[in-house]
């Protein structure tokens, strides 16, 4: 078999750090509430990509024209697999120069970069819409401007792969960091309209902007700026801008003070001072790699305990790597005032986070230190958490956690010792944290499993930490309100159980009680999440709502509203004491898909009056992209505040339908069917079809059959979306459910192949029955675990598909022996399952063309490049 290989670096997309991106779906709109940032679905946001350099292999001796009936080699792109985000920085770099101008119909794989056909290129290169960021007071909106895709020269920049992260040594930040190109400020007027734009000015030409944050009073912005110097990006500098005038200036007067953004970057301590991670002024040149190593590389386990870890990438390899990691990651914290005053605080160290207390008196400082590890990434290195005053005086140490190489691989296993250490948002300076009681091992049976503690930043002499709550499942977070109300979450993956506790943090005599107890898979009975309001300190707590003639305690529950007909988002007024609900808002069911984004009426302290409620909502349809509205009570009048143009008008009339069908074992399946504009199956007949999916594990058939998503959602098409092929006349079956079900004590993966094939058969039969897919021209594709699915289907169901596209997948599970995806048994515990699931073991059965696309430097622990 002849292998032809070409290397590509594609632009990669994902979301800001606060948002999670499912690998099998096209881009959703990212949302942040602290203060919140919005980005339309069609926009592209960038984080540090995992699947970075792309290797394309054509695995089949076949004529290029045969494969071109479905996809062209030059038109395949890659997709972000997750990873550390750049603090909400958004993709906006130019695609100019990203590819060589080669005729896309030239089928020879001559190693040149190629452009896709114009109908696809025009969609990918369309200018992205701006992201939006609302001020803390909700009276101003930032339009954060971007360009589309980065040039290949930027993606080709050298990277230092150290301790599980990738660093751009020239900028001293994470590699592949995208940027904004400009900032526009709009006043939100009383009538809901926007005032004229004030452009942030004074920036150097070609400024690349990142890490945009508001001061708590909303009067200033802080952000980083870098520029290209001789085609090399410079170090990052911190700038500030006056919101009223838009005038920007450097925060530091010294030209030698640069930002170190490898871990944290900067934070407003109060309205006049920022705490900044800077590169130490005394730092010299990077350490040089010795020509001769100091000795052999030795790893040993002399403690006689079994240590199992997954296949982490980019780990430290030797002493030189340790020194290089310290060189780039070491930070000098500097307290910088808007008036120009600068004060270094604390010694240089590898600071990974810094969090001011709500009363602005203390800092919660986290750092990592030696001894490092050659088997786990930096997130498991020894970690120290201290409390300082905001002027840098050490108050006390909270913990110094040992190196964590031995966290069990079982789901819900955690690190020993204190974890999730945070400030209570409803108190001036009170800490809370969690400690495991099972040694971090989920397989240990113990009650309680986790204990939540709380304590003041500076406890009185002899004052011990107080137990806030005990949990039998694994701790999942807290939503705070006040001394009388907080919601505590716990869950357990094996059983899919999730519980919400109602506690009274300030009243030890009030017994906690379970508010909700359900399966995490049961989306139909999801009650929603409490809406949060901003406090004067800039923190966020559960919003309490009051009625005029009712003394009850009410909160707002914002839910997705999953139903058999699709998601119908809602806002419920929920009585904490009685459990009664009143639906006060619901999305349109017929044409539009609407969601509640945030509260806009939380300027004043105290409970919110229901008649003065004001919310920010989004609204979209199959053919209309997302716009934002402000709705005000009591008449619920909606005022549109954005008017974004359609990002790809050539597909404005695409056809979209959520379809339902059954697997042969009776399991209900769903998918979203997209058809090209103007296509009619009756008159035009069957056309080529691309089935793009991603399997999921479930504990019950009922849960697997529940409908997720909405038929009225706008079709967001990113540069790696399967929906691009609508422009080439394909029908697209997007996200057909491929449930792998293991009920009771049964392990889902023990019948993986059987259920995978049955689901695929049902999907193919449905598109053929509808007349929208030519039986001989149906392709299957997927990313990551979807690529794994694709190879398996071509091996075990060759009658269904004419070819496959497998992007950034893993194909030999014996190379991930300590678990993969949602499988937590080891290779030696489930040898048969590992072998049967691995398409590598059935590669001799694959007779149809398969295009394998993979990041040459993929650092996803589950998708080793060597498997391709």
């Amino acid at each position: 078999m002849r292998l032809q290989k070409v290397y590509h670096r594609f632009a990669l997309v994902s979301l800001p750090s606060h948002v999670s991106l499912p690998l099998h779906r096209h881009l959703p709109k990212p949302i942040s509430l602290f203060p919140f940032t919005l980005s339309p679905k069609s926009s592209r946001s960038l984080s540090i990509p995992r699947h970075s350099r792309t290797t394309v292999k054509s695995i089949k001796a076949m004529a290029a024209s045969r494969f071109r009936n479905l996809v062209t080699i030059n038109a395949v792109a890659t997709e972000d697999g997750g990873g550390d985000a750049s603090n909400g920085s958004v993709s906006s770099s130019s695609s100019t120069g990203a590819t060589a101008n080669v005729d896309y119909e030239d089928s020879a794989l001559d190693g040149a970069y190629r452009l896709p056909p114009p109908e696809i290129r025009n969609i990918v290169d369309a200018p992205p819409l701006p992201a939006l960021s609302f001020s803390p007071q909700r009276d101003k909106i930032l339009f954060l401007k971007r360009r589309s895709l980065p040039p290949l020269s930027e993606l080709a920049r050298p990277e230092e792969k150290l301790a599980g992260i990738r660093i751009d040594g020239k900028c001293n930040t994470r590699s592949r960091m995208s940027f904004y190109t400009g900032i526009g400020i709009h006043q939100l007027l009383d009538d809901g309209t926007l005032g004229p734009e004030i452009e942030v000015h004074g920036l150097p030409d070609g400024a690349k902007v990142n890490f945009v944050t508001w001061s708590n009073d909303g009067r200033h912005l802080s952000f980083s700026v870098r520029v290209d110097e001789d085609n090399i990006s410079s170090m990052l500098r911190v700038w500030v801008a006056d919101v009223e005038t838009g005038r920007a200036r450097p925060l530091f007067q010294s030209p030698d003070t640069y930002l170190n953004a490898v871990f944290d970057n900067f934070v407003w301590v109060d309205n006049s001072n920022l705490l900044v991670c800077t590169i130490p002024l005394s730092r010299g040149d990077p350490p040089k790699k010795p020509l001769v190593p100091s000795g052999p590389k030795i790893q040993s386990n002399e403690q006689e305990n079994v240590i199992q870890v997954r296949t982490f990438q980019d780990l430290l390899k030797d002493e030189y790597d340790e020194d290089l990691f310290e060189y780039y990651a070491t930070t000098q914290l500097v307290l910088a005032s808007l008036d120009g005053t600068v004060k270094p605080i604390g010694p240089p160290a590898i600071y990974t986070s810094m969090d001011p207390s709500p009363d602005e008196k203390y800092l919660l400082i986290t750092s990592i230190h030696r001894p490092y590890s050659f088997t786990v990434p930096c997130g498991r290195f020894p970690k120290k958490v201290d409390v300082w005053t905001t002027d840098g005086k050490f108050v006390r140490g909270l913990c110094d956690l040992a190196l964590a190489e031995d966290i069990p691989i079982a789901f819900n296993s955690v690190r020993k010792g204190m974890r999730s250490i945070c400030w209570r948002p409803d108190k001036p300076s009170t800490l809370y944290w969690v400690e495991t009681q099972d040694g971090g091992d989920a397989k240990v049976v113990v009650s309680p499993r986790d204990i939540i503690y709380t304590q003041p930043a500076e406890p009185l002499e002899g004052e011990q930490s107080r137990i806030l709550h005990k949990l039998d499942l694994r701790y999942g977070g807290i939503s705070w309100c006040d001394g009388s109300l907080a919601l505590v979450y716990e869950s357990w993956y094996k059983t899919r159980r999730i519980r919400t506790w109602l506690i009274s943090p300030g009243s030890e005599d009030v017994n906690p009680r379970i508010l909700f107890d359900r399966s995490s898979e049961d989306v139909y009975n999801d009650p929603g999440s409490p809406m949060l309001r901003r406090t004067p300190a800039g923190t966020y707590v559960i919003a309490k709502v009051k009625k005029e003639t009712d003394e009850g305690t009410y909160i707002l529950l914002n839910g997705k509203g999953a139903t058999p007909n699709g998601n119908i988002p809602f806002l419920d007024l929920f009585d904490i004491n009685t459990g009664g609900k009143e639906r006060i808002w619901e999305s349109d069911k017929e044409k539009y898909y609407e969601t509640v984004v945030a509260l806009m009426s939380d300027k004043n302290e105290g409970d919110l009056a229901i008649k003065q409620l004001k919310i920010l909502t989004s609204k979209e349809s199959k053919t209309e992209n997302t716009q934002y509205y402000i709705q005000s009570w009591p008449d619920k009048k909606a005022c549109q505040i954005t008017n974004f143009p359609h990002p790809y008008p050539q597909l404005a009339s695409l056809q979209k339908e959520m379809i339902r069908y059954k697997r042969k074992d009776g399991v209900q399946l769903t998918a979203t069917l997209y058809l090209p504009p103007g296509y009619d199956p009756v008159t035009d007949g069957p056309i080529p079809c691309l089935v793009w999916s991603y399997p999921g594990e479930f504990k019950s058939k009922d849960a697997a059959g529940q409908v997720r998503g909405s038929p009225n959602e706008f079709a967001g098409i990113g540069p790696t979306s399967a929906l691009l092929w609508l422009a080439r006349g394909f029908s697209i079956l997007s996200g057909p459910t491929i449930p792998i079900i293991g009920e009771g004590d049964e392990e889902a993966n023990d019948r993986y192949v059987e259920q995978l094939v049955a689901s695929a058969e049902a999907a193919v039969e449905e598109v053929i029955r509808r007349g929208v897919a030519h039986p001989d021209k149906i392709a299957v594709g997927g990313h990551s675990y979807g690529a794994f699915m694709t190879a398996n289907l071509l091996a075990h169901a060759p009658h269904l598909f004419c070819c496959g596209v497998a992007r950034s997948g893993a194909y030999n599970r014996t190379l991930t022996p300590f678990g993969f995806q949602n499988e937590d048994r080891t290779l030696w515990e489930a040898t048969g399952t590992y072998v049967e699931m691995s398409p590598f073991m059935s590669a001799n059965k694959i007779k149809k063309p398969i295009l394998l696309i993979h990041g040459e430097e993929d650092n996803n622990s589950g998708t080793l490049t060597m498997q391709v």
Side-chain angles (χ1 to χ4, degrees), residues 228-247:
D228 284 339
E229 299 172 350
D230 298 326
N231 294 322
I232 298 176
S233 290
S234 67
M235 295 287 191
L236 279 68
R237 301 178 188 272
V238 182
W239 283 59
V240 292
D242 184 283
V243 172
E244 291 300 323
T245 65
R247 180 179 175 273

Side-chain angles (χ1 to χ4, degrees), residues 33-56:
L33 300 178
F34 307 111
F36 51 87
T37 300
L38 309 168
S39 183
K41 286 188 177 180
S42 57
S43 62
R44 282 143 341 234
S45 352
L46 182 65
S47 73
I48 312 306
R50 284 185 176 178
H51 306 293
S52 50
R53 179 182 293 160
T54 304
T55 307
V56 181

Side-chain angles (χ1 to χ4, degrees), residues 408-462:
I409 62 173
F411 287 106
N412 290 122
S413 293
V414 296
R415 190 173 192 162
K416 300 174 185 176
M418 298 172 67
R419 69 182 198 277
S420 302
I421 306 172
C422 301
W423 297 109
R424 273 184 61 169
D426 62 324
K427 291 289 186 180
S429 53
T430 298
L431 294 161
Y432 70 97
W433 67 90
V434 185
E435 294 185 29
T436 179
Q437 306 300 299
D438 56 14
D441 189 349
K443 292 185 177 181
V444 173
V445 179
V446 65
S447 178
R449 189 171 293 276
D450 274 337
I451 297 179
I452 307 169
Y453 295 91
T454 183
Q455 192 177 49
E458 286 194 84
L460 300 175
E461 185 176 352

Side-chain angles (χ1 to χ4, degrees), residues 100 132 294 386 400 446 471 477 533 545 565 628 639 697 730:
L132 305 184
S294 59
D386 297 325
D400 192 350
V446 65
L471 300 169
R533 57 159 298 150
V545 179
N565 296 317
Y628 294 98
C639 181
E697 292 85 356
F730 282 63

Side-chain angles (χ1 to χ4, degrees), residues 260-445:
N260 186 335
V262 170
F263 287 105
D264 211 338
N265 41 77
F266 50 83
V267 63
W268 289 93
V269 174
D270 54 39
N271 293 322
S272 301
N273 294 279
L274 290 106
L275 184 61
V276 184
C277 294
T278 69
I279 297 173
L281 294 175
S282 60
R283 190 179 81 170
D285 295 329
K288 294 185 180 297
K289 188 176 182 66
L291 295 177
V292 179
S294 59
K297 298 177 182 179
I298 300 174
Q299 295 186 36
S300 65
N301 179 17
E302 300 175 355
Q303 298 178 357
E304 298 183 359
N305 58 317
V306 177
I307 296 178
Q308 301 174 341
V309 294
R310 299 210 175 193
T311 49
F312 298 114
Q313 304 302 299
D314 299 338
L315 300 176
L316 299 177
K317 300 180 290 295
D318 49 34
E319 293 179 1
Y320 167 72
D321 275 359
E322 291 182 312
D323 293 341
L324 197 62
F325 173 68
E326 280 190 339
Y327 175 84
Y328 286 114
T330 297
T331 286
Q332 174 63 63
L333 297 181
V334 172
L335 193 62
S337 175
L338 295 179
D339 64 10
T341 304
V342 174
K343 177 186 177 183
I345 63 172
I350 302 178
Y351 298 106
T352 57
S353 70
M354 45 193 188
D355 186 16
S357 61
D359 63 2
E360 302 174 350
K361 292 182 178 180
Y362 300 96
L363 298 171
L364 188 62
I365 301 293
T366 303
S367 60
I368 57 178
H369 59 82
R370 291 177 183 260
Y372 304 139
S373 171
F374 298 157
T375 60
V376 294
C378 57
R380 298 191 181 186
F381 288 179
K383 181 171 72 171
K384 188 178 181 183
V385 183
D386 297 325
V387 176
W388 297 1
T389 62
T390 49
D391 60 358
K393 295 179 181 178
F394 177 82
V395 176
R396 64 179 178 124
L398 294 177
C399 64
D400 192 350
L401 303 179
L403 177 66
E405 290 183 325
D406 58 349
I407 298 177
I409 62 173
F411 287 106
N412 290 122
S413 293
V414 296
R415 190 173 192 162
K416 300 174 185 176
M418 298 172 67
R419 69 182 198 277
S420 302
I421 306 172
C422 301
W423 297 109
R424 273 184 61 169
D426 62 324
K427 291 289 186 180
S429 53
T430 298
L431 294 161
Y432 70 97
W433 67 90
V434 185
E435 294 185 29
T436 179
Q437 306 300 299
D438 56 14
D441 189 349
K443 292 185 177 181
V444 173
V445 179

Side-chain angles (χ1 to χ4, degrees), residues 46-108:
L46 182 65
S47 73
I48 312 306
R50 284 185 176 178
H51 306 293
S52 50
R53 179 182 293 160
T54 304
T55 307
V56 181
K57 300 181 181 179
S58 181
I59 312 295
K60 184 71 178 176
M62 60 181 177
S65 59
R66 177 183 175 189
F67 198 81
R68 195 187 299 129
N69 289 333
L70 283 171
V71 318
T72 50
I73 189 72
N74 51 301
V76 182
T78 188
E79 175 176 334
D80 182 7
D84 299 299
S86 54
N87 207 26
S89 58
V90 180
S91 174
S92 49
S93 47
S94 171
S95 61
T96 303
T99 53
N101 191 9
V102 180
D103 183 359
Y104 78 92
E105 291 296 346
D106 182 3
S107 62

